[in-house]
Amino acid sequence: MENVVDGNGGGSGLVMTELIRIKELVKQLEVHLRDCPDLCKHLAEQIFTVTERSIGSMISSRHFDCRKRSAANAGIDSPPGTLVKANRKRKMMAKEKLQVRVSSAGGGEDDGYSWRKYGQKEILGAQHPRGYFRCTYRKTQGCSAIKQVQRADEDPAFFDVTYHGTHTCVHKTAAAVAKEPPAAPNPDARSLLQSLSSSLTVNTEGLTSGPQQGWSSTTPFSFSPAMSGLTPPVEHCPSSTQSTAVNCFGQGVSLSPSLSQLELSPTTSDSSHVPMNPFEAERRAESELQQIVSALALVGAATSMPEPPVELEDFDVSIFLV
DNA sequence: CGGATTTGACCGGT
DNA sequence: ACCGGTCAAATCCG
């Protein structure tokens, strides 16, 4: 099946972006904590799991519809047998799909992976062409990840990015970090935590929309880096020419195609599963995020950081749900 | 010079 | 026939 994370007005898409970023960072954190106490790894796994559940809740709650896209996705409803004769295009479309909307600060293209453009098309009814990208390491590593980037008609400041397939390569970010001497993983871990904290800026102000406004105004749910004086990790960001903190971890900019690897419960969008009450899903997502914060604080302590990486009181986190 | 991008042609699905 | 996705030659760029 495929998982579609629709921008859906850009709000929940932003949340998804943040959560995806969390997940990516945690995965990297885990790598660099391999010679730390087992507790660190356990906590990283915990964060990972919680994030996954949160994303699943959001998807379930927002009724992301994988069928509302163009007729090009018609293969979705086809019986499995039709894939037997699938050509390249059909194979691609049958893969997992992740759709997000990102701000233009990163051009919709700086997501930590290395892409090579292989085509551009004017799309009927769209004001802007669609760019087609595949993983740079397609040849060398056989990575089949593909993404499409198209500037949003409604708001040119945003890009709709659709990922197909999963990265099987050792992607750029991981490779860059791997250059670091294995003997000094803790500074990296700390940087990653800082990055994670910096990226956790989600706005809840828009939650008043619709009937589900229960936890918006009354929930000062917030992260705060408490990082004043600490510089963001530069080496983590593959973009070398621009302000890394903004472009890599700024609002809505950073995202990871790794969500397509999440193996989100296939029942989240299937008929066999009773759709979660949107309100309940959002409440659960909030709870899960708070668990993330708690776990992060423990991770910070376990990695001998002078102070916890996150403090609930200091963070300014809100979630857009337009 | 090698890798990345551009862009018109081509292909398959609808 | 039309459209979206991909190919590949030409071109660009460091």
Side-chain angles (χ1 to χ4, degrees):
Chain A
M1 280 305 285
E2 63 179 23
N3 301 317
V4 174
V5 181
D6 197 317
N8 220 16
S12 51
L14 181 57
V15 176
M16 300 302 298
T17 296
E18 305 293 354
L19 292 174
I20 291 165
R21 188 65 198 175
I22 293 171
K23 185 166 180 172
E24 183 182 44
L25 289 169
V26 169
K27 288 170 74 175
Q28 295 173 20
L29 170 64
E30 189 175 0
V31 170
H32 293 280
L33 286 177
R34 56 182 174 273
D35 59 347
C36 285
D38 290 343
L39 172 63
C40 296
K41 185 168 184 175
H42 170 74
L43 290 170
E45 290 171 351
Q46 183 179 348
I47 296 170
F48 191 87
T49 300
V50 166
T51 306
E52 251 186 10
R53 284 205 307 267
S54 184
I55 292 172
S57 297
M58 297 301 294
I59 289 177
S60 168
S61 68
R62 306 310 291 179
H63 304 296
F64 297 120
D65 185 358
C66 61
R67 291 165 182 79
K68 77 176 185 181
R69 278 283 156 173
S70 71
N73 300 328
I76 294 166
D77 298 324
S78 302
T82 58
L83 285 178
V84 174
K85 296 176 64 178
N87 56 20
R88 287 189 305 268
K89 192 188 301 182
R90 300 294 288 179
K91 282 179 184 175
M92 185 278 291
M93 288 189 289
K95 289 179 181 176
E96 296 173 73
K97 179 172 139 186
L98 166 66
Q99 185 172 352
V100 298
R101 173 166 293 188
V102 301
S103 76
S104 60
E109 297 168 8
D110 181 9
D111 54 18
Y113 287 90
S114 182
W115 300 96
R116 176 172 177 173
K117 190 173 186 177
Y118 66 90
Q120 179 170 307
K121 252 320 227 186
E122 294 290 340
I123 301 302
L124 195 69
Q127 298 175 11
H128 306 98
R130 176 179 300 166
Y132 298 89
F133 300 81
R134 62 168 59 107
C135 181
T136 300
Y137 309 107
R138 185 198 193 203
K139 281 190 174 182
T140 58
Q141 299 185 34
C143 182
S144 60
I146 284 174
K147 79 168 179 179
Q148 300 173 357
V149 178
Q150 185 171 9
R151 193 178 286 270
D153 289 343
E154 321 85 75
D155 188 351
F158 287 85
F159 288 85
D160 288 323
V161 183
T162 304
Y163 294 93
H164 297 273
T166 61
H167 277 280
T168 57
C169 61
V170 179
H171 67 79
K172 193 174 177 179
T173 299
V177 176
K179 290 178 184 174
E180 299 295 326
N186 279 349
D188 278 348
R190 178 169 172 169
S191 293
L192 287 166
L193 284 170
Q194 292 171 10
S195 303
L196 174 55
S197 299
S198 299
S199 69
L200 288 177
T201 300
V202 189
N203 205 326
T204 54
E205 294 173 16
L207 274 174
T208 54
S209 67
Q212 70 277 44
Q213 53 187 0
W215 64 287
S216 58
S217 55
T218 59
T219 308
F221 166 55
S222 60
F223 306 86
S224 177
M227 290 291 177
S228 54
L230 296 177
T231 51
V234 173
E235 65 276 12
H236 177 73
C237 178
S239 172
S240 58
T241 59
Q242 297 169 317
S243 172
T244 56
V246 172
N247 289 333
C248 284
F249 307 112
Q251 171 198 0
V253 174
S254 72
L255 72 160
S256 167
S258 61
L259 180 61
S260 55
Q261 302 168 343
L262 286 183
E263 296 180 8
L264 290 171
S265 169
T267 60
T268 51
S269 60
D270 281 359
S271 56
S272 62
H273 178 261
V274 177
M276 188 184 298
N277 179 340
F279 179 85
E280 170 65 15
E282 289 168 6
R283 205 188 56 74
R284 277 175 56 170
E286 176 201 5
S287 170
E288 313 256 349
L289 287 168
Q290 287 178 324
Q291 290 181 50
I292 293 173
V293 175
S294 301
L296 279 173
L298 291 173
V299 170
T303 52
S304 304
M305 294 179 68
E307 36 183 317
V310 292
E311 292 184 8
L312 286 171
E313 292 76 12
D314 295 337
F315 274 89
D316 178 21
V317 172
S318 40
I319 299 176
F320 287 115
L321 286 175
V322 184

